[in-house]
Amino acid sequence: MPRSSTRQHIVEVASDLFYRNGYNRTGINEVIAESGIAKATLYNHFRSKDEICIAYLQYKHEVFVKDIKAYCDTRPANGRQVLAIFDFLEAFFQDRDFNGCWCIKTVAEIPREDERIRKEIQKQKNQLINFIESLLMDIKDEDERRDTARQIYLLYESAVSESHLHQADWPITSAKAIASKIIG
Amino acid sequence: MPRSSTRQHIVEVASDLFYRNGYNRTGINEVIAESGIAKATLYNHFRSKDEICIAYLQYKHEVFVKDIKAYCDTRPANGRQVLAIFDFLEAFFQDRDFNGCWCIKTVAEIPREDERIRKEIQKQKNQLINFIESLLMDIKDEDERRDTARQIYLLYESAVSESHLHQADWPITSAKAIASKIIG
DNA sequence: GACAAAGTAGACAGATCTGTCTACTTTGTC
DNA sequence: GACAAAGTAGACAGATCTGTCTACTTTGTC
């Protein structure tokens, strides 16, 4: 296996385990056993478990952005296109691998001082707000567009967390209904 | 110290530590050192760390319910009284001990199989929805009242998580603005 | 086919952390 | 003041888990 795909393979396996079972409850030994690689190989690609955590967050975000963009692209580019993000979430929720927001989960597990991870997560959330804003180009006033994007972002985030917490999809339909009201 | 207040003392100290530094990152030894009690005393009051976790969640919820009710009671009991929950949150956010939602934090840290903790958290969230509903008695239709309570609950939850995540209060003002629009 | 780079299997050091147990002391009540 | 209940200080077993290191093998390239 070429070096770059070994790294990628580790990231994918670790991501699955971290997301499913939690970062602290997934040991390095589990990652290497599941990856079928030696421990020294893992530490040849990553300096520490922390570094794998960053790669995990980036990988989840990368896949998420790709998927949600592709999903929204199938809808007509009008003022209501943004509502597609809730339909995307509904599909994600129905998937048996759904386990809430990786950012929120990870932030709860790491020490508060870990600035690298905190910054990465804030970056991801800001990119999501920007993406939502890009779907709201019907709104000509820049401040209003930004405000609306933030509001829909809040609803989306809530829908993710709460559908996971309650193990039910009413938060998704409810959030979508509010978003629909907001964009008029 | 009488038995009941020893127990209460442990719960308060453990709650501070769990909420501030996280459940998994707070060891039993830290709890007893901070409480100034012996380890055997702790295990005389609680069978396991897990049991302290339940007591922690219940204690945080109890204080929260008492405080938010008292806060909302100072406002006129009209259709807009429910908006006070966002002002309450704003005050809580300004407090330097604010550290997001203890339920979300704890759920992220415990194994998925821990049903007792999961049930406790769902119970707390349902009580919050019921409390919000009790502030919406202006809405006569029962289904509509329930729906609205859930919507405002989603906004409140989002405001808690996101103000913590972004270390900024715009999620609170933004969520309040949406809630205000919903109740008309 | 020589050689470097990458990978292997797993022992092990060292740092956690929970929960038990021991031998003893303090406190509160009759 | 006797006695039980509650608390103390801390050793220790046993179960983690991360990251290093050793001695060796495989792979890819010139």
Side-chain angles (χ1 to χ4, degrees):
Chain A
M1 208 184 302
R3 190 174 162 82
S4 68
S5 54
T6 300
R7 194 194 136 96
Q8 184 59 21
H9 177 62
I10 296 169
V11 171
E12 285 172 22
V13 169
S15 292
D16 273 3
L17 293 169
F18 289 167
Y19 184 59
R20 182 151 22 102
N21 304 326
Y23 175 67
N24 283 327
R25 271 186 319 282
T26 303
I28 285 294
N29 291 319
E30 208 180 333
V31 174
I32 62 169
E34 196 83 359
S35 305
I37 58 153
K39 195 180 278 191
T41 304
L42 185 142
Y43 281 102
N44 190 25
H45 286 275
F46 300 95
R47 257 176 303 176
S48 65
K49 195 187 172 190
D50 232 57
E51 220 167 65
I52 308 176
C53 185
I54 300 272
Y56 150 60
L57 294 173
Q58 288 171 341
Y59 173 67
K60 291 295 281 185
H61 183 62
E62 186 195 309
V63 172
F64 167 74
V65 166
K66 192 171 63 60
D67 288 353
I68 200 169
K69 280 188 175 161
Y71 189 93
C72 292
D73 273 352
T74 65
R75 303 289 177 95
N78 58 30
R80 303 189 70 74
Q81 187 187 14
V82 72
L83 296 178
I85 65 175
F86 295 98
D87 303 329
F88 173 78
L89 177 57
E90 178 71 43
F92 182 24
F93 174 79
Q94 297 299 340
D95 191 303
R96 66 183 179 74
D97 295 334
F98 178 71
N99 209 6
C101 172
W102 48 90
C103 293
I104 304 275
K105 284 163 69 76
T106 305
V107 143
E109 289 202 75
I110 54 160
R112 217 189 319 191
E113 300 71 31
D114 198 323
E115 274 304 309
R116 279 167 73 217
I117 290 178
R118 181 151 242 118
K119 291 287 172 211
E120 173 62 32
I121 287 172
Q122 288 181 356
K123 200 181 82 191
Q124 293 190 7
K125 296 304 181 189
N126 286 324
Q127 280 179 20
L128 176 56
I129 297 173
N130 291 339
F131 170 66
I132 291 171
E133 201 180 342
S134 78
L135 297 177
L136 294 171
M137 283 306 168
D138 273 24
I139 302 173
K140 296 303 172 202
D141 182 83
E142 213 173 291
D143 288 347
E144 195 198 329
R145 188 167 66 228
R146 188 72 184 163
D147 270 7
T148 306
R150 281 178 161 183
Q151 291 183 345
I152 290 172
Y153 160 77
L154 287 178
L155 291 165
Y156 182 83
E157 289 287 287
S158 200
V160 174
S161 286
E162 301 297 320
S163 61
H164 176 51
L165 198 70
H166 293 271
Q167 301 279 303
D169 74 347
W170 65 259
I172 302 172
T173 48
S174 188
K176 188 183 175 185
I178 305 172
S180 177
K181 201 170 173 180
I182 288 174
I183 61 176
Chain B
M1 208 185 299
R3 189 174 163 81
S4 69
S5 54
T6 300
R7 194 194 137 96
Q8 185 59 20
H9 178 61
I10 297 168
V11 171
E12 285 172 21
V13 170
S15 291
D16 273 2
L17 292 168
F18 289 168
Y19 184 58
R20 183 154 18 106
N21 303 327
Y23 175 68
N24 283 328
R25 271 186 318 283
T26 303
I28 286 294
N29 291 319
E30 208 180 333
V31 174
I32 62 168
E34 196 83 0
S35 305
I37 57 153
K39 195 180 279 193
T41 304
L42 186 143
Y43 280 102
N44 190 25
H45 285 276
F46 300 94
R47 256 175 303 177
S48 65
K49 195 187 171 192
D50 231 57
E51 221 167 64
I52 309 176
C53 186
I54 300 273
Y56 150 61
L57 293 173
Q58 288 172 341
Y59 173 68
K60 290 296 279 185
H61 183 61
E62 184 194 311
V63 172
F64 167 74
V65 166
K66 192 171 64 61
D67 287 353
I68 201 169
K69 279 188 175 161
Y71 190 93
C72 292
D73 273 352
T74 66
R75 302 290 178 94
N78 58 31
R80 303 187 72 73
Q81 188 188 13
V82 71
L83 296 178
I85 65 174
F86 296 97
D87 301 331
F88 173 80
L89 176 57
E90 178 70 44
F92 182 26
F93 174 78
Q94 296 299 339
D95 191 303
R96 64 181 180 75
D97 296 334
F98 178 69
N99 209 7
C101 172
W102 49 90
C103 293
I104 304 274
K105 283 163 70 75
T106 306
V107 144
E109 289 201 75
I110 53 159
R112 215 187 322 191
E113 299 72 30
D114 197 324
E115 273 304 310
R116 280 167 73 219
I117 290 178
R118 180 152 243 119
K119 290 289 172 210
E120 173 62 31
I121 287 173
Q122 288 181 355
K123 200 182 82 191
Q124 293 190 5
K125 296 304 182 188
N126 286 326
Q127 279 178 20
L128 177 56
I129 297 173
N130 291 340
F131 170 66
I132 292 172
E133 201 179 342
S134 78
L135 297 177
L136 293 172
M137 284 305 167
D138 274 22
I139 303 174
K140 296 303 172 203
D141 183 84
E142 212 173 292
D143 288 348
E144 195 198 329
R145 189 168 63 228
R146 188 75 185 160
D147 269 7
T148 307
R150 281 178 161 183
Q151 291 183 346
I152 290 172
Y153 160 78
L154 287 179
L155 291 166
Y156 182 82
E157 288 287 287
S158 200
V160 173
S161 285
E162 300 297 320
S163 61
H164 175 53
L165 198 71
H166 293 271
Q167 300 280 300
D169 73 347
W170 65 258
I172 302 172
T173 48
S174 189
K176 187 184 175 185
I178 305 172
S180 177
K181 201 171 173 181
I182 288 173
I183 61 175

